[in-house]
């Protein structure tokens, strides 16, 4: 097979979106899966190392990912006695913000890539939840130095366990990465007594070259180890929901940096991708043509 530049490692989740007075709607989700899908929508060859059961949710997610051109690595978990496809009930508040209740496990065994990656992206539940997190970190450590690495903690407090241990696990992933993206809400949970800027600088001290922080309607900023600072505003739009917005940001940021964009341009592309995503239900990131049109407008 042709070796994709990007390899994403992590969970797929069926998002069961629930609002009062309306029937449930199921959307393919999971932060790493959304990033892989977003990269593919932007024209990047990408593979996803994940677990899927051969059940209705698993088939839905598989078809969704493959429709964008994502290559799935590792066969569906249900074929070898694995668990059902993870799911999350997503309740939307009056502002479209998502609140999650999870039914999820992550049991990825040791896994060898069939090709050398150019870039590895890890994140969310899969990077910190055992027993599968050990396989994720082993894969990253094997290729560290030969491939660039990015990480998004995408904090889910109900799944993170004891706080100090959760911070330790997150910081281990940060230290393995070249680029880290987090939301201000992630950082507020991890470091409640620090500002987002203080937390970002703390992470730079652990090793990454770049830390990007999203701030919802306030836009985003990024800091680099060599002292650069970039900011990008968020456009005012009518929000359908915020599901997948951070993942669209990550995918667009990775794509922009891979194609040679400077930090300011990359951040603008990322915030624009996130803004487009919140205008429609579910994790529905833009393709390259839509993103380019929005940037011109």
């Amino acid at each position: 097979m042709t070796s994709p530049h990007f390899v994403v490692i992590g969970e797929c989740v069926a998002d069961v979106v629930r609002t009062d007075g309306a029937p449930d709607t199921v959307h393919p989700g999971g932060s790493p899966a959304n990033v892989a899908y977003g990269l593919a929508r932007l024209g990047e060859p990408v593979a996803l190392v994940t677990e899927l059961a051969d059940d209705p949710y698993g088939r839905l997610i598989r078809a969704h990912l493959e429709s964008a051109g994502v290559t799935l690595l590792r066969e569906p978990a249900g074929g070898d006695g694995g668990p059902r496809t993870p799911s999350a009930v997503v309740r939307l508040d009056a502002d479209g913000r998502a609140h999650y209740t999870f039914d999820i496990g992550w049991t990825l065994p040791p896994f060898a890539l069939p090709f050398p990656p150019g870039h590895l992206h890890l994140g969310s539940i899969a990077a910190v939840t055992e027993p599968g997190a050990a396989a994720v970190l082993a894969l990253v450590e094997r290729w560290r130095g030969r491939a660039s690495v990015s990480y998004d903690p995408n904090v889910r407090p109900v799944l993170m366990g004891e706080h100090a241990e959760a911070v330790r696990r997150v910081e281990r992933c940060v230290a393995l990465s070249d680029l880290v993206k987090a939301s201000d809400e992630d950082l507020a949970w991890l470091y409640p007594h620090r500002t987002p800027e203080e937390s970002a600088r703390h992470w730079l001290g652990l090793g990454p070259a770049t830390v990007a922080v999203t701030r919802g309607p306030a836009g985003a900023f990024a800091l680099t180890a060599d002292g650069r600072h970039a900011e990008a505003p968020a456009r005012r739009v009518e929000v359908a929901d915020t599901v997948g917005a951070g993942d669209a940001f990550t995918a667009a940021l990775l794509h922009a940096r891979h194609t040679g964009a400077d930090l300011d341009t990359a951040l603008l592309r990322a915030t624009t991708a996130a803004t487009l995503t919140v205008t429609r239900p579910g994790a529905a990131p833009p393709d390259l043509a839509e993103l380019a049109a929005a940037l011109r407008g």
Side-chain angles (χ1 to χ4, degrees), residues 7-284:
V7 175
V8 180
I9 315 164
E11 74 275 1
C12 295
V13 180
D15 289 336
V16 183
V17 180
R18 187 164 294 168
T19 53
D20 292 339
D24 290 352
T25 304
V26 181
H27 296 289
S31 178
N34 291 341
V35 172
Y37 182 78
L39 283 165
R41 292 271 291 164
L42 294 172
E44 294 285 1
V46 56
L48 174 64
V49 179
T50 194
E51 292 187 308
L52 281 173
D54 187 15
D55 57 19
Y57 286 165
R59 291 189 288 272
L60 172 72
I61 294 170
R62 187 181 189 91
H64 169 74
L65 292 167
E66 291 181 340
S67 73
V70 177
T71 299
L72 292 175
L73 300 180
R74 192 168 188 267
E75 287 303 302
D80 57 10
R84 63 186 179 277
T85 298
S87 62
V89 174
V90 186
R91 291 190 176 274
L92 302 177
D93 64 20
D95 296 320
R97 289 189 296 265
H99 305 273
Y100 295 83
T101 303
F102 293 95
D103 179 8
I104 189 167
W106 178 248
T107 60
L108 186 76
F111 184 88
L113 290 174
F115 52 80
H119 182 93
L120 291 168
H121 176 76
L122 68 154
S124 198
I125 297 162
V128 296
T129 301
E130 298 296 356
V136 174
L137 294 178
L139 193 58
V140 173
E141 287 170 343
R142 177 179 178 183
W143 290 104
R144 183 80 173 101
R146 292 178 287 171
S148 52
V149 179
S150 57
Y151 171 57
D152 176 3
N154 191 48
V155 169
R156 300 294 183 231
V158 70
L159 299 176
M160 299 295 284
E162 193 270 327
H163 185 267
E165 176 61 17
V167 172
R168 186 194 69 79
R169 288 175 176 269
V170 166
E171 290 187 348
R172 182 182 179 190
C173 296
V174 170
L176 288 169
S177 302
D178 301 288
L179 183 154
V180 181
K181 172 265 174 186
S183 71
D184 53 0
E185 292 180 344
D186 293 335
L187 296 176
W189 187 84
L190 290 165
Y191 308 108
H193 303 298
R194 292 177 177 166
T195 67
E197 290 80 4
E198 289 169 342
S199 297
R201 294 189 188 284
H202 169 64
W203 277 1
L204 287 174
L206 299 178
T210 304
V211 175
V213 179
T214 59
R215 300 179 293 182
F221 71 87
L223 304 178
T224 68
D226 60 4
R228 284 177 292 163
H229 179 275
E231 291 195 36
R235 302 183 186 188
R236 290 184 176 273
V237 295
E238 185 172 343
V239 176
D241 67 48
T242 61
V243 176
D247 305 320
F249 177 98
T250 300
L253 182 66
L254 293 176
H255 166 73
R257 295 298 271 169
H258 180 226
T259 54
D262 61 38
L263 186 61
D264 292 279
T265 301
L267 205 62
L268 178 60
R269 291 182 188 175
T271 55
T272 302
T275 299
L276 290 169
T277 303
V278 303
T279 63
R280 52 229 185 182

